Amino acid sequence: MSKPPSREETARKVHSTALHLMRYVRAQDIALGVPPARLSALSVIVFGGKTSLSDLAKAEQVRPPTMSRIIDALVRDGLVKRETDKKDRRSVIITATEKGTRIMHQGRSRREKRLLDLLQPLRREEIDLLDRASEILSKELRTGTH
Amino acid sequence: MSKPPSREETARKVHSTALHLMRYVRAQDIALGVPPARLSALSVIVFGGKTSLSDLAKAEQVRPPTMSRIIDALVRDGLVKRETDKKDRRSVIITATEKGTRIMHQGRSRREKRLLDLLQPLRREEIDLLDRASEILSKELRTGTH
DNA sequence: GTTGCATAGTTAGCATAGCTAATGATTAGC
DNA sequence: GCTAATCATTAGCTATGCTAACTATGCAAC
């Protein structure tokens, strides 16, 4: 049927697809009323459990002052709470409130539903192929230089 | 070997992989010294040819005032130029300058090189699989409701 | 051709989110 | 106990998103 794709072509396709996919799922988040940076941080807090502010900053690849201000807003809106670490009183421990947890679960299920809708018309073999492709890429992203 | 993945699992994997992949390639862009929104707009201008401001706004999924200001910055930095459309004098046509084109090509080759490095250890069959997976997803993203 | 509506773009003003530099508080090393 | 390192915050800048209000132009109806 078709000739084997060059690595360059495949790289371009993969990049373009990932870009459009992210755009597609992120559109769902607007309904939650929590802006993107805050939602992303909240996700780490809810699903990753309690962490320090600096660990959060690392996870989100932003600088501590940026994360500090994001936490300000999340605290103000009652989605997380700040506590000073008993072991190291310089450190701040961030925990999700019940409200924060609830909103995050809503968000996740909205996004998953959206993606499932996208995958709905696909056949068993195609789902299987997407699954293996994700595995391959994830593995390289974990082991590569970055 | 392994039992067939549920659609839910696959959806989660695909989402997570796309997210990490975008993070991986975007890191390259910092070296260009052009902030993300401007770079993305410049990409549409360089590779998509001359367009009006409102078409650009649609392509980038932002409102016209946002695009207007992005263009302000790109013009100020000599990367694009504004011209009024002769046919419809309300309309503004945006074109890339030589400098803008040069920088964008640099950016593209940096990102492609980065992705090629990632795909480098993969075998022929794995590349082929990624290629087909991208095709499948792209097709759904094009034909789906969004 | 003028009246009136629609469309393209800009301006003004606000919120969000990124950064560096500088500061305060606490801990760790010696 | 002093010094250096670490964690978080504050201040102040840039960038990027939005809506509302405005200007200028085009188009349609009469």
Side-chain angles (χ1 to χ4, degrees):
Chain A
M1 5 182 312
S2 58
K3 66 170 191 292
S6 75
R7 279 164 190 262
E8 286 78 8
E9 272 176 65
T10 300
R12 262 195 291 279
K13 275 189 208 174
V14 165
H15 174 250
S16 160
T17 304
L19 201 140
H20 288 109
L21 190 71
M22 291 317 293
R23 192 170 278 183
Y24 177 81
V25 293
R26 280 209 187 123
Q28 283 308 97
D29 295 343
I30 295 167
L32 292 175
V34 181
R38 291 178 203 170
L39 200 63
S40 186
L42 185 59
S43 161
V44 177
I45 297 162
V46 170
F47 298 120
K50 42 175 66 175
T51 29
S52 72
L53 190 143
S54 51
D55 284 349
L56 262 181
K58 270 171 208 145
E60 290 293 86
Q61 302 190 330
V62 298
R63 302 289 172 185
T66 299
M67 188 50 69
S68 187
R69 203 175 21 179
I70 288 171
I71 299 300
D72 283 347
L74 289 173
V75 168
R76 188 200 57 208
D77 296 345
L79 304 178
V80 306
K81 67 177 197 284
R82 266 194 182 95
E83 290 165 303
T84 42
D85 190 346
K86 264 91 182 183
K87 329 263 178 184
D88 184 345
R89 296 171 41 72
R90 290 169 302 181
S91 212
V92 168
I93 303 295
I94 314 293
T95 337
T97 62
E98 209 194 314
K99 184 182 173 191
T101 306
R102 183 162 22 91
I103 286 186
M104 196 60 233
H105 282 117
Q106 270 175 37
R108 180 167 79 165
S109 84
R110 288 184 71 95
R111 281 198 299 278
E112 285 184 5
K113 194 170 178 315
R114 181 95 167 131
L115 252 181
L116 281 174
D117 286 351
L118 188 75
L119 303 188
Q120 192 269 326
L122 299 184
R123 297 189 313 274
R124 173 80 261 152
E125 309 88 72
E126 291 173 315
I127 295 290
D128 217 72
L129 199 144
L130 291 186
D131 201 270
R132 278 187 290 154
S134 300
E135 287 290 353
I136 290 169
L137 268 179
S138 293
K139 179 165 168 285
E140 290 308 321
L141 284 165
R142 273 195 306 273
T143 60
T145 324
H146 54 285
Chain B
M1 1 182 312
S2 56
K3 66 170 189 299
S6 75
R7 278 164 191 261
E8 286 77 9
E9 271 175 66
T10 300
R12 262 194 291 280
K13 273 190 209 173
V14 165
H15 174 250
S16 160
T17 304
L19 200 141
H20 288 110
L21 189 71
M22 288 319 293
R23 192 171 277 180
Y24 177 82
V25 294
R26 283 213 184 117
Q28 282 309 98
D29 295 343
I30 295 167
L32 292 175
V34 181
R38 291 179 203 168
L39 199 63
S40 186
L42 184 60
S43 160
V44 177
I45 297 161
V46 170
F47 298 121
K50 42 173 68 176
T51 30
S52 72
L53 191 143
S54 51
D55 284 349
L56 261 181
K58 271 171 207 145
E60 290 294 83
Q61 303 191 327
V62 298
R63 302 288 170 186
T66 300
M67 188 50 69
S68 187
R69 203 176 20 184
I70 287 171
I71 300 299
D72 284 347
L74 289 173
V75 167
R76 188 201 57 209
D77 297 345
L79 304 177
V80 305
K81 67 176 196 285
R82 265 195 183 94
E83 290 165 301
T84 43
D85 190 345
K86 264 91 181 183
K87 327 262 179 185
D88 183 346
R89 294 172 40 72
R90 292 169 303 178
S91 211
V92 168
I93 303 295
I94 314 294
T95 337
T97 62
E98 208 192 317
K99 183 181 173 192
T101 306
R102 182 161 23 88
I103 286 187
M104 196 61 234
H105 282 117
Q106 270 175 36
R108 180 167 79 166
S109 85
R110 288 184 72 95
R111 282 199 299 279
E112 285 184 6
K113 194 169 179 315
R114 182 95 167 131
L115 252 182
L116 281 174
D117 286 350
L118 188 74
L119 303 187
Q120 193 269 324
L122 299 183
R123 299 190 313 273
R124 173 80 261 151
E125 311 88 72
E126 293 174 314
I127 295 289
D128 217 70
L129 200 144
L130 290 186
D131 201 270
R132 277 186 292 153
S134 300
E135 288 289 355
I136 290 169
L137 270 179
S138 294
K139 179 165 166 285
E140 290 306 322
L141 284 164
R142 272 194 306 273
T143 59
T145 325
H146 56 283

